[in-house]
Amino acid sequence: VAPINYLMPKKVDVSSEVLKDMYEKQELTSFQIAEKIGCCQATIWKRLKEFKIKPRLPGVKRVDISKKELSNLYLKKKFSTWKIERKTGIPRSTIHRKLREFKIESRDLATANTIYPKKDFSGNLNEKYYLIGFRIGDLRVRKKYNNSKTICVACGTTIKEQVDLIRGLFEKYGRVWFKKNKEKTNIEAYLNESFNFLLSKSPPIKLLKAEKKFFPFLAGFIDAEGSIGIYNKRARFSLGNYDWKLLFFIHKKLNDYGIKCNKPFSDKRKGKLNNEGYKYNENYWHLRVEQKNYLLKLLNKIKPHIKHEKKIKSLEKAIINIKDRNGI
């Protein structure tokens, strides 16, 4: 038995009468005829030529598409002009002319090639400054490539609550990807350019001088780098980072808002070896709030903004601990 040749073209069995009826009377496009018959568009053009069926002149077929419909197909549903032609029966050349006529801006290459839809950032200031604080503490943020319109937000963690938190923060805006290894989960979120404010690694110190921006920022930073707990039956709070300038700024702002705390201090680890045998390049700094009434004030300030499930529970326990000690 001769082997099957999978590269042999499919035989198209269509009469001149049927083709003429579909093309001239029904006014179907070559794409639509090809789909009905089950072949490629080039084959239909070949048969039209063989049967001496004259191509329709441009503009002969009535074009009935509104700006609203075209905007919906092209901008909202992200259909290509090829797909719009197949769906509506309107030639691509006419589609392009209508896009210009209706002043519908053509999608650039980056937008046209977007597979997963992305939504713009909400614009909520509490959310924005929380995300900035969380980003500085725990996220790597970059553009996918130099001219990309996709912002990649990445993190690796061994803590389930951290995975759940990142999913909750970004899943409503774009695709969130997870890869779990034995020890940790790597996470990446793909966002649009409305999240450009996360690209900078430096905190916007001047903007954070306003209280309504400072405490959401601090809550995000605490969700990434802070610790709230009860040790020796006493509520404790600490915040650690290599950025000593940021910790001194937070120290000053807390004192300005009547939350007294000592200056940040270093564990002087620079030059020492870590558990893996590498030297620390910088000292690690700590900021603590220990006096119970000042700590209670801090916890109440950040409570509306904390999102990390584990820290929410720890915060509630710390508040109860302080109130019990105060006899409230």
Side-chain angles (χ1 to χ4, degrees):
V1 178
I4 298 172
N5 185 354
Y6 291 100
L7 297 179
M8 285 182 64
K10 180 181 177 180
K11 184 179 179 181
V12 177
D13 186 15
V14 59
S15 68
S16 61
E17 291 79 10
V18 171
L19 187 56
K20 191 170 184 177
D21 179 77
M22 296 173 79
Y23 187 71
E24 293 183 348
K25 291 186 178 180
Q26 298 181 44
E27 292 190 332
L28 298 179
T29 66
S30 55
F31 274 112
Q32 291 171 324
I33 296 171
E35 284 185 356
K36 282 181 175 291
I37 294 174
C39 65
C40 67
Q41 183 209 24
T43 302
I44 297 302
W45 279 116
K46 184 178 178 181
R47 291 290 185 269
L48 288 170
K49 189 174 181 181
E50 285 178 4
F51 297 145
K52 296 181 180 180
I53 300 172
K54 292 182 180 181
R56 290 192 295 263
L57 293 174
V60 169
K61 185 179 178 183
R62 178 172 171 264
V63 175
D64 186 17
I65 187 167
S66 66
K67 181 177 180 179
K68 184 178 180 180
E69 182 185 2
L70 186 55
S71 296
N72 180 57
L73 294 172
Y74 186 71
L75 297 178
K76 189 175 181 180
K77 294 188 175 181
K78 309 292 187 191
F79 283 5
S80 67
T81 52
W82 290 104
K83 191 169 183 179
I84 295 173
E85 180 182 41
R86 288 195 294 270
K87 181 174 178 62
T88 64
I90 300 171
R92 281 184 72 233
S93 59
T94 305
I95 296 297
H96 282 290
R97 178 169 58 79
K98 283 292 182 181
L99 288 171
R100 292 193 299 271
E101 184 181 312
F102 293 144
K103 296 181 179 179
I104 298 173
E105 189 174 349
S106 296
R107 299 194 303 266
D108 56 34
L109 190 61
T111 305
N113 289 333
T114 296
I115 299 174
Y116 299 98
K118 303 177 183 70
K119 292 185 179 179
D120 286 347
F121 175 63
S122 69
N124 182 280
L125 287 181
N126 284 341
E127 184 181 6
K128 178 178 181 178
Y129 286 96
Y130 173 91
L131 288 175
I132 291 173
F134 190 71
R135 178 266 189 272
I136 289 171
D138 207 34
L139 300 175
R140 304 183 302 277
V141 183
R142 61 182 174 83
K143 281 204 168 186
K144 197 170 183 180
Y145 47 85
N146 288 339
N147 296 324
S148 174
K149 292 195 172 185
T150 298
I151 307 293
C152 293
V153 176
C155 178
T157 181
T158 58
I159 303 169
K160 178 187 177 297
E161 289 84 357
Q162 198 84 335
V163 174
D164 294 339
L165 173 58
I166 294 171
R167 185 201 297 269
L169 291 175
F170 298 116
E171 198 170 45
K172 57 189 173 184
Y173 293 116
R175 182 190 177 214
V176 180
W177 172 89
F178 300 88
K179 185 176 181 180
K180 190 172 183 179
N181 298 322
K182 289 183 179 180
E183 295 182 357
K184 70 176 182 179
T185 301
N186 291 309
I187 315 159
E188 277 201 17
Y190 301 96
L191 312 169
N192 70 19
E193 287 187 302
S194 66
F195 286 85
N196 274 342
F197 62 86
L198 292 179
L199 287 171
S200 175
K201 297 179 181 179
S202 303
I205 297 298
K206 290 183 180 179
L207 297 177
L208 295 175
K209 291 180 180 179
E211 181 176 351
K212 64 182 179 180
K213 298 175 181 177
F214 173 74
F215 282 105
F217 167 85
L218 182 59
F221 195 49
I222 289 170
D223 272 351
E225 300 279 51
S227 173
I228 304 170
I230 298 172
Y231 306 95
N232 296 323
K233 298 182 180 181
R234 298 169 68 88
R236 294 281 189 270
F237 166 81
S238 67
L239 188 59
N241 198 261
Y242 287 100
D243 188 344
W244 62 271
K245 290 182 180 179
L246 176 57
L247 290 189
F248 270 89
F249 168 76
I250 293 172
H251 163 263
K252 181 181 183 306
K253 294 302 295 180
L254 289 178
N255 280 276
D256 289 346
Y257 294 128
I259 301 169
K260 303 298 181 184
C261 54
N262 295 325
K263 289 182 179 180
F265 62 93
S266 168
D267 58 11
K268 298 180 180 179
R269 66 173 63 175
K270 184 177 180 179
K272 295 180 180 178
L273 297 178
N274 62 19
N275 294 333
E276 297 176 351
Y278 296 101
K279 283 187 178 181
Y280 289 106
N281 293 323
E282 300 292 340
N283 290 322
Y284 195 77
W285 291 78
H286 304 266
L287 174 66
R288 292 177 181 168
V289 180
E290 297 179 330
Q291 208 280 336
K292 61 182 180 179
N293 292 327
Y294 296 135
L295 177 54
L296 181 60
K297 188 172 183 179
L298 170 63
L299 296 177
N300 283 324
K301 283 284 188 181
I302 63 172
K303 183 179 177 180
H305 308 293
I306 290 289
K307 302 181 187 300
H308 193 295
E309 184 181 345
K310 197 171 183 178
K311 289 187 173 68
I312 290 173
K313 292 177 181 178
S314 297
L315 183 147
E316 295 288 356
K317 289 179 181 178
I319 288 176
I320 292 170
N321 173 269
I322 294 170
K323 287 183 176 181
D324 286 346
R325 286 159 56 201
N326 285 338
I328 299 176

